[in-house]
Amino acid sequence: MCQYSAVDGVPNDWHLVHLGSRAIGGAGVIVTEATAIEPEGRITPGCTGIWNDVQTEAWARIVSFIEKFRAIPAMQLAHAGRKASTHVPWSPVRGGVPIEEGGWIPKGVADKKFIDTHTAPHALTISEIAAVVGSWVDAAKRAQAAGFKVIEIHAAHGYLLHQFYSPISNTRNDEYGGSFENRTKLLREVTRGIRGVWPEELPLFVRLSTTDWVDGGWSIDDSVQLAKVLVEEGVDLIDCSSGGATPDAEIPVEPGYQVHLARAIRDRAQIMTAAVGKIADAKQADDIVASNDADAIMLGRAMLDDPYWAVHAARELGVGDLRTKEYSWVKL
């Protein structure tokens, strides 16, 4: 969950306390916010990055704390594409940040804006695409140097990789546009590049928007087909989200509304999946895993609301006390 509180992409004490609280709170894996592989890949000027040594060292401090309290540190690598260079969500001003106010020209699959108030993107050339792939690989190396034990490639929510594979946003007529194979080429190149430098024994996740929720857009059948390809590229788990390619999709948001998507990919592509989206109740989460709808549950909003969600869920489900020694000596 993005915090929009970094300076020049560098995580700080806020991020240490934010992520560290979830480790103390009993979470099994702590996934960073969408962390940009290059400056232009940030959603806002306040987003974190991992494209230089200062950022890497700052992340290493946070990783050390997470591991101290029994959690596994994971980094979500991202590039916002045409959704980059926007104001932080609590700003009274919406839309794109002007260059004179610290914004930049976003990079995209094409030169079309996501919404009218965003800054018009620059359509990536073939050589620029190759450079972006290199930035993903370099970021993975830095993530390993910082001590992360899992990488998640953020290829969802209308960000750069999703912009390429979705027929809604990809209007190219070159080797990266048109057919399913062409539109998924960038994600395959990024996955292959990262898997080539990421240790074989460490997991690699990919977050997909498994449907665009729009006729003629990316579908769950497309996602199943892509997941089968990603298995061959060394991906261990698909994080099954949805939407984000277009602002006018009608999404039936309700508790567990994306669980069936995780089940479909798990069953049809024979790969582990994570269920996400409006999952907040411990019994609900437990039932999803117990019924083989997904192999894992990823929580965002619920853990923003309650950093100790896992401790409280374990207590509710009767599976033990997950509190750290600093807290567990106190009898409730």
Side-chain angles (χ1 to χ4, degrees):
M1 301 295 285
C2 292
Q3 299 298 290
Y4 309 106
S5 299
V7 177
D8 296 327
V10 181
N12 51 48
D13 285 351
W14 172 262
H15 302 86
L16 173 66
V17 173
H18 166 64
L19 296 173
S21 295
R22 276 76 196 171
I24 293 172
V29 179
I30 309 291
V31 186
T32 68
E33 63 192 81
T35 299
I37 61 165
E38 61 178 16
E40 297 85 358
R42 292 171 294 166
I43 304 167
T44 76
C47 289
T48 57
I50 190 161
W51 64 80
N52 63 37
D53 291 344
V54 174
Q55 296 159 351
T56 306
E57 291 168 6
W59 280 120
R61 173 183 176 228
I62 295 170
V63 165
S64 177
F65 188 91
I66 288 172
E67 291 192 310
K68 181 178 179 181
F69 291 97
R70 306 171 298 178
I72 297 170
M75 170 153 278
Q76 187 183 80
L77 297 179
H79 193 299
R82 67 175 179 173
K83 285 187 168 182
S85 189
T86 61
H87 288 280
V88 297
W90 52 80
S91 170
V93 182
R94 309 302 293 173
V97 179
I99 292 177
E100 60 271 18
E101 296 179 19
W104 57 90
I105 302 298
K107 298 175 180 179
V109 64
D111 59 5
K112 185 179 179 181
K113 301 178 183 179
F114 177 67
I115 55 176
D116 290 342
T117 56
H118 281 191
T119 303
H122 160 69
L124 289 166
T125 65
I126 298 296
S127 61
E128 288 170 339
I129 289 172
V132 168
V133 173
S135 294
W136 283 93
V137 174
D138 289 344
K141 293 177 181 177
R142 289 186 177 279
Q144 184 185 1
F148 286 98
K149 300 301 187 290
V150 180
I151 281 180
E152 176 169 90
I153 299 170
H154 197 337
H157 301 168
Y159 299 138
L160 186 66
L161 298 178
H162 184 195
Q163 289 166 27
F164 269 79
Y165 68 72
S166 173
I168 290 176
S169 49
N170 190 335
T171 56
R172 300 175 74 101
N173 56 13
D174 60 10
E175 63 192 271
Y176 288 93
S179 68
F180 172 92
E181 183 177 4
N182 286 3
R183 286 184 285 108
T184 60
K185 182 178 180 180
L186 178 56
L187 176 52
R188 289 185 283 111
E189 289 178 336
V190 167
T191 303
R192 190 176 304 131
I194 290 177
R195 189 76 271 186
V197 299
W198 189 243
E200 184 178 353
E201 67 275 11
L202 297 182
L204 177 61
F205 299 173
V206 173
R207 167 164 266 203
L208 292 180
S209 276
T210 55
T211 175
D212 286 334
W213 299 104
V214 174
D215 288 342
W218 184 262
S219 70
I220 184 61
D221 289 337
D222 292 324
S223 290
V224 169
Q225 184 179 350
L226 177 57
K228 291 178 179 178
V229 174
L230 294 177
V231 169
E232 297 300 318
E233 296 291 355
V235 172
D236 298 290
L237 177 143
I238 303 295
D239 176 3
C240 300
S241 192
S242 67
T246 176
D248 55 5
E250 295 184 8
I251 304 175
V253 178
E254 61 183 13
Y257 72 103
Q258 297 175 141
V259 173
H260 71 287
L261 303 169
R263 180 66 186 245
I265 291 175
R266 185 181 191 272
D267 288 351
R268 296 168 58 189
Q270 297 296 295
I271 186 172
M272 290 193 295
T273 60
V276 303
K278 292 287 186 176
I279 300 170
D281 178 77
K283 182 64 164 56
Q284 175 197 16
D286 192 49
D287 286 347
I288 290 169
V289 175
S291 62
N292 294 320
D293 285 330
D295 299 278
I297 304 296
M298 290 192 175
L299 299 171
R301 291 172 175 82
M303 278 202 175
L304 286 186
D305 183 60
D306 179 8
Y308 298 90
W309 187 95
V311 167
H312 299 149
R315 187 180 303 152
E316 178 182 338
L317 296 171
V319 294
D321 189 348
L322 295 186
R323 291 179 297 165
T324 65
K325 63 180 184 296
E326 292 84 355
Y327 291 165
S328 61
W329 70 271
V330 178
K331 303 304 179 184
L332 296 176

